[in-house]
Amino acid sequence: MRRLLPIVFIILALLPSCSRGRDGESVKLVLRYADNQPEGHPAAEAAKYFASLVHSSTDGEIDVEVYLNGELGSETSIFEQVRFGGVDFSRFSIGTLPPDMGEYRALMYPFLYRDREHMWSVLDGDIGKRLLDDSVEYGIIALAWFDAGLRSLYTIEQIDDFSDFRGKTIRVQENDFIASIFETIGVRTVQIPYGSVYSALQMNRIDGAENNIPSYVLAGHYECAKYYMISRHMRTPEILAMSMQAVDKISAVNPEYVDVIKECARQSGLYERKLWVESEEYYMQIALDAGCVFAYPDKELEAQLYDAMTTIDYLLDEKERQLVEEIRNT
């Protein structure tokens, strides 16, 4: 009998649950949304917005409980929980998706997009729709695109020219493709969870990392790594995803709510994009006030970064190379 208990608990976790909603009223289903970002981050605020939309759009029959700050685990572990239905929704950086997710990897190609408008013309068009639809092949349902801005490099010591990268230890996302991109500039890369980066910087176990400005500030990295080079080497859009098991749970309440929740996801994606644009200048000012130095690489260094990082075509398969060209020509 004892051996059956874990199985019973797993089954119960996947069944629709009745509970008390945010206003104390009875709800038919409570779903879980996980994110590794803290309060105030555009992705975290979009998660809360999504939860409020779901509650109002289902007349209070479905509630979404939002867990922030990596409370339910890192992005990589949450991805597996979404795949198996332990978590119903989460926002994932393209850089943390598993290697088997095919063409998504091509979206991380360095210096791929001309600007933000170019990226959204791609992701809101046929290419983006195809990628969202294809996600079911990998055990999740991608619902919407989120912005994550431009990724740039930040370091404890200032980088003045290309040779300064050699020998530096730089944290990158837990992704071998991204690690290979950065190894082209002579750094040693380490792949550690986002939540571990602050202590690694603080204890000088790494010399720097790369990320967008809001994450740089909200995670406290600006306190340790004062030099932010606006290298703009990569735009890595993000997806809001739902577990396939959540569809069955939602349908058990009302089959029409599946499309309702998909629309809530789309709206939360648009909301997150708006917040993102507003947040970049705000968080940059916080870092500037704290004594951080923001600088663009000069023309020579910018060209050297581009020339080095775009030597990774050999890592792409034919389908991924075709997608890169398709995006460039959009």
Side-chain angles (χ1 to χ4, degrees), residues 104-139:
Y104 276 90
R105 189 169 71 159
L107 300 181
M108 298 184 292
Y109 193 89
F111 303 103
L112 178 59
Y113 306 101
R114 293 185 293 276
D115 49 32
R116 176 183 273 114
E117 288 69 28
H118 178 212
M119 184 179 76
W120 290 123
S121 70
V122 169
L123 298 181
D124 289 335
D126 292 340
I127 293 173
K129 183 179 185 305
R130 185 179 77 229
L131 289 170
L132 292 179
D133 291 345
D134 288 350
S135 65
V136 295
E137 298 177 21
Y138 309 101

Side-chain angles (χ1 to χ4, degrees), residues 103 317-327:
E103 290 179 283
D317 62 28
E318 184 58 31
K319 195 173 182 181
E320 290 166 337
R321 282 194 289 270
Q322 288 176 358
L323 179 56
V324 167
E325 284 306 306
E326 188 179 357
I327 290 172

